Amino acid sequence: MNSIGSQSSSVTRDAWEGQEMRQALAAREVSTIYKLLRRRGVSQRQIAAMTGQSQSEVSEILKGRQVMAYDVLLRIADGLGVPRGYMGLAYDEVTATRVVETREAPEAEEPENVKRRKFLAHAAAVAVGAHVLGADSGQWVSNPVLTPAPGRIGMTDVRQVEAATRALRSLDYQYGGGFCRDAVVAQLSWGQQMLSASGTDVVKARLHVALADLHNLAGWTSFDIGLIDSARSHFGRALELAKAGESSQLVANILYRMGRVYLHKESPDDALKMFQLGQIAAQESGSELAVAVICANQAWAYAMMGHEDQTMKLIGRTRDEFARANAGEAEDWVKFFNEDDVYAMIGTVHTVLAQRVDVKHTKFAIPALHRAIGSYGDDMARSKAFNLSFLATNHLLDGDIDHGAKIGHQAVDLAQHLKSRRVRDRLLPLKEEADKRRNYTDARELSDTITRFYDADAS
């Protein structure tokens, strides 16, 4: 018998060919894979021996524990003898090198303000200037060696890139960038092979857009775990590819995301420059939804600068553009901005104004945040954590200490299950407000809980 794994294994190659198994492999549902193997008579001990896991780990996975780490998925696939392609795994030595290369350097080679100026110049050239795909993008963009390209590609190959991006983006929303960032980079290594392959003009154009969105996700997941230089690198490449694919909506989305990086780093001036470029692309696309996204984030930047009137004008325009938008005609990368996100952004902006301008804004922030939080399911855990933190902050500002502390603890509990540096950072304003009220037991306990979370996260 032609078996896979240990000599005592009863796993044969046809085990991977059944429809149910192929679906589980494609979705990387390791629990289902193991259950199907158990039906074939493979014991937990045999699975553990083949995959290098302990029997207790195998037991936990059989009970439903998800396997997210890319290196563990690889070990499982190789140990069981699963063809890597069945699980969408394309991790080879070149990919491993790229993952290492795109991690943050211990020390920045240039000052951050210099990197920002370079990126702004590049973004402006791409967004409003000539096509620059392949041009020198500056030191902030890595240039790893590409793997050998296939000879010819078709639309099926491009759809595989798009499907992988959708699946990985879902993981990012639910678990944070730390759960899937390396997998995104690995998929890029597989996908970028196709740039030098032959194909029809229609296929090549769609490939440019698909890879642009995958780089966009790589930038976002890098940002989520604090790798700012890597994020900038991926966003820069994403801009070039989106421009080459003639997708103004995606160009706008990429610029919005880079602006969010600068908002998070407390640099609203630089964020506004990104959003202004993004607004040009959004308007060129003819998508009211894309314009609404940009306006909402411009409002956030102005709120951080303390410009209340300009903030409120942009919030009003956000509502107007969203009301006119036809979500059914929008492209995938802007469809995320639904009514729930509008309320979340309204709540966020009023929270910032409450902290920096006038506490009266809590009366607008609290109901908007309640509305957003109530709509979030488990698939939007990171967004829920963000908004719980903002909501708790508003209640503390409003003098409702016990309720604010209760919601704050919910935010920390959720943050503990996420691999996201941003969630950790977003708890800091909440801690600062709690520290101002340490004479209240509830506020003091909340501050201490956040401190313990920071200490555990750093260890």
Side-chain angles (χ1 to χ4, degrees), residues 396 430-438 443-444 446-447:
L396 292 183
L430 175 59
K431 185 180 187 305
E432 291 173 352
E433 294 300 332
D435 283 338
K436 293 175 184 177
R437 298 160 177 81
R438 288 190 69 87
R444 185 169 60 253
L446 174 60
S447 175

Side-chain angles (χ1 to χ4, degrees), residues 72-185:
V72 177
L73 288 169
L74 280 171
R75 179 153 46 86
I76 289 170
D78 291 345
L80 294 174
V82 179
R84 288 189 178 187
Y86 287 12
M87 296 180 72
L89 303 173
Y91 211 120
D92 52 22
E93 292 181 4
V94 175
T95 308
T97 300
R98 178 170 297 174
V99 169
V100 173
E101 287 176 347
T102 54
R103 292 190 184 278
E104 200 79 343
E107 295 183 7
E109 298 167 351
E110 295 177 311
E112 177 63 19
N113 63 332
V114 174
K115 293 179 181 180
R116 290 181 183 177
R117 285 199 302 269
K118 285 186 175 183
F119 186 89
L120 177 62
H122 181 69
V126 176
V128 300
H131 163 50
V132 293
L133 183 60
D136 181 14
S137 301
Q139 293 182 359
W140 46 266
V141 176
S142 61
N143 186 29
V145 177
L146 296 177
T147 52
R152 185 171 180 82
I153 59 170
M155 200 59 77
T156 299
D157 299 298
V158 180
R159 291 193 187 102
Q160 289 176 348
V161 177
E162 295 168 342
T165 304
R166 285 193 298 271
L168 290 166
R169 181 167 280 128
S170 295
L171 294 176
D172 171 59
Y173 278 133
Q174 187 168 1
Y175 301 106
F179 273 95
C180 61
R181 187 258 179 184
D182 283 358
V184 176
V185 175

Side-chain angles (χ1 to χ4, degrees), residues 443-458:
R444 185 169 60 253
E445 289 178 350
L446 174 60
S447 175
D448 293 344
T449 297
I450 296 174
T451 298
R452 288 193 295 272
F453 168 66
Y454 284 165
D455 291 343
D457 189 53

Side-chain angles (χ1 to χ4, degrees), residues 3 10 59 67 91 104 125 129 137 172 187 253 280 284 328 370 374 383 417 419 444 450 453 455:
S3 62
S10 59
S59 178
V67 178
Y91 211 120
E104 200 79 343
S137 301
D172 171 59
Q187 288 294 334
N253 185 273
I280 294 171
E284 285 180 352
H370 265 298
S383 295
H417 299 288
K419 294 291 185 180
R444 185 169 60 253
I450 296 174
F453 168 66
D455 291 343

Side-chain angles (χ1 to χ4, degrees), residues 278-301:
Q279 189 170 48
I280 294 171
Q283 290 171 340
E284 285 180 352
S285 75
S287 169
E288 292 88 354
L289 196 57
V291 174
V293 172
I294 296 295
C295 288
N297 283 275
Q298 285 179 313
W300 191 347

Side-chain angles (χ1 to χ4, degrees), residues 85-386:
Y86 287 12
M87 296 180 72
L89 303 173
Y91 211 120
D92 52 22
E93 292 181 4
V94 175
T95 308
T97 300
R98 178 170 297 174
V99 169
V100 173
E101 287 176 347
T102 54
R103 292 190 184 278
E104 200 79 343
E107 295 183 7
E109 298 167 351
E110 295 177 311
E112 177 63 19
N113 63 332
V114 174
K115 293 179 181 180
R116 290 181 183 177
R117 285 199 302 269
K118 285 186 175 183
F119 186 89
L120 177 62
H122 181 69
V126 176
V128 300
H131 163 50
V132 293
L133 183 60
D136 181 14
S137 301
Q139 293 182 359
W140 46 266
V141 176
S142 61
N143 186 29
V145 177
L146 296 177
T147 52
R152 185 171 180 82
I153 59 170
M155 200 59 77
T156 299
D157 299 298
V158 180
R159 291 193 187 102
Q160 289 176 348
V161 177
E162 295 168 342
T165 304
R166 285 193 298 271
L168 290 166
R169 181 167 280 128
S170 295
L171 294 176
D172 171 59
Y173 278 133
Q174 187 168 1
Y175 301 106
F179 273 95
C180 61
R181 187 258 179 184
D182 283 358
V184 176
V185 175
Q187 288 294 334
L188 272 173
S189 180
W190 173 73
Q192 288 201 163
Q193 299 178 68
M194 297 188 285
L195 282 174
S196 56
S198 62
T200 66
D201 290 343
V202 173
V203 168
K204 296 288 278 189
R206 185 160 165 179
L207 174 65
H208 282 130
V209 174
L211 290 178
D213 195 30
L214 190 53
H215 269 291
N216 192 25
L217 180 58
W220 193 246
T221 54
S222 296
F223 162 48
D224 197 50
I225 58 175
L227 302 183
I228 304 304
D229 282 349
S230 293
R232 192 161 23 222
S233 171
H234 285 296
F235 285 137
R237 183 61 171 161
L239 279 175
E240 297 174 8
L241 288 162
K243 190 70 173 181
E246 300 182 350
S247 176
S248 296
Q249 281 192 34
L250 185 52
V251 168
N253 185 273
I254 296 161
L255 290 167
Y256 132 73
R257 292 182 186 277
M258 193 64 220
R260 285 288 288 269
V261 174
Y262 295 148
L263 281 185
H264 189 77
K265 303 300 285 185
E266 297 283 331
S267 298
D269 287 336
D270 290 318
L272 271 177
K273 294 169 186 174
M274 290 294 109
F275 297 145
Q276 286 161 358
L277 286 174
Q279 189 170 48
I280 294 171
Q283 290 171 340
E284 285 180 352
S285 75
S287 169
E288 292 88 354
L289 196 57
V291 174
V293 172
I294 296 295
C295 288
N297 283 275
Q298 285 179 313
W300 191 347
Y302 278 115
M304 290 180 68
M305 297 164 72
H307 299 332
E308 185 175 13
D309 290 343
Q310 189 67 15
T311 299
M312 298 316 300
K313 287 178 183 177
L314 282 160
I315 282 295
R317 187 177 176 193
T318 300
R319 291 179 182 271
D320 292 342
E321 296 287 352
F322 182 81
R324 286 196 295 268
N326 185 343
E329 295 179 356
E331 297 179 17
D332 286 347
W333 35 84
V334 75
K335 284 183 179 178
F336 77 92
F337 196 71
N338 56 25
E339 190 175 21
D340 302 331
D341 288 279
V342 173
Y343 279 105
M345 287 300 294
I346 291 171
T348 297
V349 166
H350 281 292
T351 300
V352 176
L353 289 175
Q355 291 175 294
R356 304 188 182 209
V357 178
D358 193 327
V359 73
K360 70 180 183 183
H361 284 277
T362 59
K363 68 180 180 180
F364 304 107
I366 289 173
L369 292 168
H370 265 298
R371 168 67 173 74
I373 291 167
S375 66
Y376 289 137
D378 293 340
D379 59 332
M380 296 292 288
R382 183 176 56 198
S383 295
K384 187 173 183 178
F386 286 154

